[in-house]
């Protein structure tokens, strides 16, 4: 299997606190469509295949993080972009800011390929302004051959046994770092109550003393080398480690996970909306969407695409075979508005703690 380069799934913008927006110009392009996406998040020949199928030319521009593209979209009012890939809380923000075009379902026939559950996601019931592209969980990724006891709880990471101290990592991005503590405490992954968040902060400050590092990008490599034995991980990124070392395993702790969703949105400022809907329809084609599942190792919310995955692929990456009904039981990360500033402050205090 050829794996794409993992991307940094950063998530820490709010619908109100957008003051960091950078005054960056929109891309200049002679193409019919401009698509902004993470690097390696669709097939390298996708735009050429799209042009062959539709006659519409497209250019892909790459963003490294949600924050980066949000800064550009807010600064430009969305001008210069047609379709943008963003995580669902950011899609919520863009919609609240009036920057998204309603999805014209009549022009996206392949929406029929989505699992029914993917049309009822809390951030956008009915896919009014966003179309889910990938979805998944966050859990524990570990070396089954080197840990004494297989982890089952977030507390195995946050209050590790002596043999694991100094050999664990946590995600550095605000929402996922906090989610580990929120879930361990039995709280919502969108919790905003100050007293409860103070408890989460204290727990994560205590956990920090046992960590090897905060790490969003190389934690799976640390597992492969044995430098780390237990890490907080997105399911697909744990698969990158499993691909290199089968002794690496993934488990969702008994307290649960968040449900993360990456989406496609059409910009209201787009001058090529019909072509933008054609592109989304093309990406929802079962064969095209299956490419994403097999090459970025993330679950996709496309029923025929997932049903087409080879049995040996699912056996190699068991989390890819997770039933959709089980996946959507977890709480979806949502835009928390003004509370995002409190989240960022708490995370800064955690990381600064001695």
């Amino acid at each position: 299997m050829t794996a794409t380069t993992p991307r940094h799934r950063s998530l820490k913008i709010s619908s109100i606190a957008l003051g960091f927006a950078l005054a960056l110009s929109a891309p200049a392009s002679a193409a019919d469509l401009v698509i902004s996406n993470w690097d390696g998040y669709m097939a390298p020949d996708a735009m050429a295949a799209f042009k062959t199928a539709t006659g519409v030319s497209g250019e892909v521009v790459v963003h490294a993080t949600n924050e980066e593209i949000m800064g550009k979209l807010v600064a430009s009012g969305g001008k210069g972009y047609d379709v943008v890939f963003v995580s669902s809380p950011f899609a919520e923000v863009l919609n609240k800011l009036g920057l998204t075009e309603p999805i014209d379902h009549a022009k996206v026939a392949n929406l029929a390929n989505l699992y029914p559950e993917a049309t009822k996601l809390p951030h956008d019931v009915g896919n009014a302004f966003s179309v889910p592209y990938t979805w998944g969980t966050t859990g524990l990724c570990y070396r089954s051959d080197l840990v004494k006891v297989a982890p089952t709880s977030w507390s195995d990471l946050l209050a590790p046994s002596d043999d694991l101290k100094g050999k664990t990592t946590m995600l550095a991005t605000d929402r996922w770092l906090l989610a580990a503590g929120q879930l361990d405490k039995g709280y919502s992954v969108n919790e905003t109550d100050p007293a409860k968040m103070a408890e989460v902060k204290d727990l994560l400050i205590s956990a920090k003393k046992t960590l090897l590092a905060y790490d969003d990008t190389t934690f799976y490599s640390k597992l492969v080398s044995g430098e780390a034995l237990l890490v907080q991980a997105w399911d697909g990124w744990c698969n990158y480690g499993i691909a290199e070392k089968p002794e690496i395993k993934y488990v969702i702790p008994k307290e649960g996970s968040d449900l993360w969703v990456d989406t496609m949105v059409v910009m209201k400022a787009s001058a090529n909306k019909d072509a933008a809907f054609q592109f989304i329809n093309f990406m929802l084609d079962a064969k095209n969407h299956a490419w994403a599942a097999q090459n970025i190792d993330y679950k996709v919310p496309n029923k025929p695409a997932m049903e087409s995955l080879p049995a040996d692929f699912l056996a190699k990456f068991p989390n890819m075979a997770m039933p959709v009904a089980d996946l959507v039981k977890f709480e979806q990360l949502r835009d928390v508005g003004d509370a995002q500033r409190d989240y960022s402050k708490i995370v800064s205090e955690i990381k600064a703690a001695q």
Side-chain angles (χ1 to χ4, degrees):
M1 184 189 73
T2 302
T4 57
T5 302
R7 63 187 176 80
H8 181 197
R9 302 183 67 256
S10 189
L11 179 107
K12 53 181 181 181
I13 198 169
S14 100
S15 54
I16 305 297
L18 290 167
F20 67 87
L22 304 175
L24 297 170
S25 60
S29 175
D32 298 319
L33 284 179
V34 174
I35 315 296
S36 191
N37 199 355
W38 291 281
D39 189 26
Y41 218 39
M42 60 187 187
D45 63 349
M47 297 315 299
F50 176 65
K51 185 174 182 179
T52 298
T54 65
V56 177
S57 65
E59 175 191 356
V60 178
V61 295
V62 172
H63 57 260
T65 65
N66 282 301
E67 286 83 3
E68 177 190 340
I69 187 58
M70 288 297 288
K72 294 176 181 179
L73 294 173
V74 171
S76 70
K79 293 179 181 177
Y81 298 90
D82 299 291
V83 179
V84 179
F85 289 68
V86 288
S87 298
S88 60
F90 292 86
E92 282 190 86
V93 172
L94 289 171
N95 187 56
K96 290 175 183 176
L97 292 174
L99 296 179
T100 59
E101 177 72 11
I103 301 297
D104 188 336
H105 288 219
K107 296 176 180 176
V108 190
N110 284 333
L111 284 168
N113 286 339
L114 294 177
Y115 287 103
E117 293 88 343
T119 70
K120 303 171 186 175
L121 292 167
H123 84 282
D124 182 20
V125 176
N127 308 119
F129 60 85
S130 66
V131 176
Y133 180 66
T134 56
W135 56 2
T137 61
T138 313
L140 300 176
C141 192
Y142 65 99
R143 283 288 297 267
S144 65
D145 56 331
L146 297 178
V147 299
K148 292 181 178 179
V149 179
T152 59
S153 167
W154 284 109
S155 64
D156 293 324
L157 175 70
L158 301 178
S161 55
D162 287 344
D163 59 303
L164 292 177
K165 289 179 180 177
K167 297 179 180 179
T168 62
T169 71
M170 293 187 69
L171 297 172
T173 306
D174 291 6
R175 293 300 296 271
W176 284 285
L177 173 58
L178 293 174
Q182 290 165 329
L183 289 164
D184 185 72
K185 288 286 186 179
Y187 300 151
S188 164
V189 293
N190 300 300
E191 183 60 66
T192 60
D193 178 78
K196 292 180 179 179
M197 290 309 297
E199 293 179 28
V200 171
K201 181 180 77 170
D202 289 344
L203 173 62
L204 294 176
I205 287 175
S206 175
K208 179 189 176 185
K209 299 171 185 176
T210 69
L211 293 178
L212 169 65
Y214 295 112
D215 187 349
D216 278 1
T217 55
T218 64
F219 55 82
Y220 68 96
S221 297
K222 290 182 171 70
L223 281 178
V224 171
S225 70
E227 183 182 5
L229 301 184
L230 171 65
V231 303
Q232 182 188 14
W234 299 298
D235 46 7
W237 284 52
C238 188
N239 288 338
Y240 303 143
I242 293 170
E244 295 186 41
K245 199 159 191 70
E247 293 83 3
I248 293 174
K249 306 295 182 185
Y250 179 78
V251 65
I252 296 173
K254 62 184 181 182
E255 300 89 356
S257 166
D258 66 282
L259 168 62
W260 60 258
V261 183
D262 287 343
T263 72
M264 298 178 283
V265 298
V266 174
M267 303 312 299
K268 187 172 287 294
S270 168
N272 305 293
K273 295 184 180 69
D274 284 350
F277 292 131
Q278 280 186 287
F279 173 78
I280 290 177
N281 194 60
F282 177 81
M283 295 304 291
L284 292 180
D285 175 82
K287 182 178 179 181
N288 295 334
H289 220 169
W291 181 96
Q294 281 195 263
N295 287 273
I296 60 176
D297 300 346
Y298 277 173
K299 290 178 280 292
V300 299
N302 186 311
K303 189 173 187 288
M306 291 298 291
E307 290 175 346
S308 74
L309 298 180
D312 59 347
F313 176 80
L314 296 176
K316 185 174 183 179
F317 304 111
N319 69 68
M320 292 292 293
M322 182 180 189
V324 170
D326 292 343
L327 176 66
V328 298
K329 288 178 183 177
F330 298 122
E331 185 182 16
Q332 188 180 359
L333 291 175
R334 301 292 303 277
D335 171 40
V336 293
D338 281 342
Q340 180 57 51
R341 285 182 285 201
D342 299 326
Y343 276 18
S344 296
K345 182 174 182 289
I346 290 169
V347 170
S348 294
E349 291 171 351
I350 292 168
K351 292 181 179 178
Q354 300 299 317

